[in-house]
Amino acid sequence: MSKGEVLTQADINLKVTKSSQVLHFQFRDDKQWKLQQIRDARNHVTQALQLPSSHDDSYHFKTGAEVNKLMDAVMLQLTRARNRLTTPASMTLPELATSGLMKMFTPPMPGDVMVNFYINLSKLCPTVHQLHVLPSNTTKYFKPSGSSVPRSPGAMFELNNNRFEVSHVHKVECVAPWLNDTLVFFTISLQLCQQLKDKISVFSSFWNYRPV
């Protein structure tokens, strides 16, 4: 269950391939997980809202270029906010393995399972990675993976002198309507800012016109 930037409940049923056993994990009652992407987006929106109020109420803009400069700064923050929701956060596999998210569950997650939650457009995406330990003599074939999200089976990484390979990746997409509304509002806001800039450009051309 998600409340804004906070995940308050999560239940995961995972079938172990070798034994066909189904494992059940859920968030601890005393734990909540904050989604960094939403926090970052909110911070960018806050900065965008603060920019117009950086001048006193009595301040009058002297040129169209001055207004355009302000709009560019506002649009930059709004674009960054939108991008945080449309671009999943990049984490390396070792970072994911040592993430505080792994301590959120009861019973504790086994060492060969990793869990991640991220936002992609209007969807919350829980992802489970199942791992297996590589033999110590795999040096020749060991190729550490980058930070793409999600990772495909076969991705490898090293942690605490152990080498792991991702054997299975399970991804679920949960639609969050309020995220879709947020993306629409970002688009509308950016369009309004651009319309203001276009109008200023037209009037600036008129003001700068000098008949021969």
Side-chain angles (χ1 to χ4, degrees):
M1 180 182 295
S2 173
K3 295 181 179 179
E5 69 181 39
V6 178
L7 286 177
T8 57
Q9 294 180 11
D11 290 271
I12 296 176
N13 292 312
L14 180 64
K15 185 176 182 180
V16 180
T17 305
K18 294 181 179 180
S19 63
S20 297
Q21 180 184 5
V22 177
L23 305 178
H24 177 73
F25 307 93
Q26 62 184 14
F27 270 6
R28 290 165 45 182
D29 293 336
D30 61 334
K31 292 288 187 179
Q32 295 181 340
W33 183 253
K34 293 185 177 180
L35 294 163
Q36 189 63 43
Q37 286 174 265
I38 297 180
R39 298 181 71 182
D40 291 344
R42 184 188 62 187
N43 290 337
H44 286 304
V45 171
T46 299
Q47 293 181 50
L49 293 173
Q50 291 174 344
L51 285 168
S53 60
S54 59
H55 299 288
D56 295 333
D57 293 340
S58 59
Y59 181 81
H60 295 282
F61 290 95
K62 299 177 178 63
T63 64
E66 190 179 3
V67 178
N68 279 340
K69 184 178 180 180
L70 173 61
M71 286 298 97
D72 286 339
V74 171
M75 292 176 71
L76 177 62
Q77 294 301 327
L78 292 176
T79 299
R80 287 175 174 173
R82 182 180 62 182
N83 288 346
R84 288 302 288 125
L85 301 181
T86 59
T87 305
S90 294
M91 294 178 66
T92 64
L93 288 168
E95 288 172 342
L96 188 57
T98 56
S99 167
L101 183 59
M102 302 303 297
K103 300 177 182 179
M104 294 284 297
F105 292 90
T106 181
M109 283 283 178
D112 59 352
V113 175
M114 299 190 306
V115 179
N116 192 22
F117 291 90
Y118 63 89
I119 299 296
N120 188 11
L121 297 171
S122 61
K123 300 171 183 176
L124 172 64
C125 302
T127 306
V128 177
H129 298 75
Q130 290 182 270
L131 314 173
H132 72 260
V133 180
L134 293 172
S136 57
N137 60 352
T138 56
T139 304
K140 182 178 179 180
Y141 305 101
F142 181 70
K143 295 181 180 179
S145 303
S147 57
S148 59
V149 179
R151 289 83 178 177
S152 301
M156 302 178 185
F157 70 99
E158 186 171 3
L159 181 66
N160 298 329
N161 296 321
N162 292 315
R163 292 174 174 176
F164 300 89
E165 181 179 9
V166 177
S167 58
H168 297 84
V169 178
H170 311 278
K171 176 183 174 182
V172 179
E173 295 184 343
C174 307
V175 176
W178 68 269
L179 280 174
N180 184 68
D181 294 341
T182 301
L183 293 172
V184 171
F185 292 146
F186 278 138
T187 300
I188 294 173
S189 299
L190 288 166
Q191 289 175 345
L192 291 174
C193 290
Q194 186 60 51
Q195 288 173 10
L196 177 58
K197 289 184 62 178
D198 293 343
K199 290 179 180 179
I200 290 173
S201 297
V202 171
F203 283 108
S204 295
S205 300
F206 175 76
W207 291 332
N208 294 331
Y209 174 73
R210 294 292 184 272
V212 180

